[in-house]
């Protein structure tokens, strides 16, 4: 069996702990655990993890270097990171955006 990491998912005042295989995208890990990163409007209408629609945004508690153009901008200006562009390569903590319709808002 390959290496796996601990991912703690915070949402609506609860926390869920996942064991995620190394290299899995965060989006895929969240969907497999029934912890969708999408808002109610984008649950069905999204790009399928290709980094085009920006609807799978989450907040990362840890500093994970961005490697996608959208995530570089999001990191710079305080917007959510795309879960489809974050490969799980360490233990991490993720906050799902409970109040988003399509995209998440900017941090204050």
């Amino acid at each position: 069996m390959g290496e796996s990491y601990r991912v703690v998912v915070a949402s609506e005042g609860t926390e869920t702990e996942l064991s995620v295989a190394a290299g899995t995208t965060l989006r895929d890990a969240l969907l497999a655990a029934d912890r969708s990163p999408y808002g109610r409007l984008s649950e069905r209408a999204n790009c399928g993890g290709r980094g085009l629609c920006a609807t799978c945004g989450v907040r990362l508690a840890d500093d994970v270097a961005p490697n996608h153009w959208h995530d570089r901008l999001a990191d710079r200006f305080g917007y959510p990171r795309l879960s489809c562009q974050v490969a799980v390569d360490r233990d991490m903590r993720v906050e799902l955006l409970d109040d988003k319709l399509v995209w998440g808002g900017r941090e204050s």
Side-chain angles (χ1 to χ4, degrees):
M1 183 169 156
E3 191 171 8
S4 65
Y5 295 100
R6 179 177 170 254
V7 176
V8 176
V9 182
S11 175
E12 298 180 348
T14 64
E15 291 187 352
T16 304
E17 187 173 315
L18 310 177
S19 179
V20 179
T24 302
T25 64
L26 185 54
R27 172 196 177 269
D28 292 347
L30 291 169
L31 290 174
D34 200 27
R35 306 293 297 159
S36 178
Y38 296 107
R40 70 181 199 281
L41 297 177
S42 60
E43 187 74 41
R44 294 183 189 267
N46 59 69
C47 71
R50 293 185 293 277
L52 301 172
C53 69
T55 60
C56 66
V58 297
R59 298 265 179 224
L60 301 177
D62 304 313
D63 188 25
V64 177
N67 64 359
H68 182 269
W69 67 267
H70 178 279
D71 276 355
R72 285 190 291 276
L73 288 173
D75 189 52
R76 182 174 177 189
F77 294 107
Y79 287 98
R81 296 281 302 276
L82 299 183
S83 62
C84 68
Q85 299 300 312
V86 175
V88 177
D89 62 359
R90 67 189 83 181
D91 291 343
M92 60 178 63
R93 180 179 171 78
V94 178
E95 180 184 347
L96 299 183
L97 306 175
D98 302 320
D99 60 348
K100 76 177 178 179
L101 293 176
V102 179
W103 300 284
R106 191 172 174 181
E107 286 182 323
S108 309

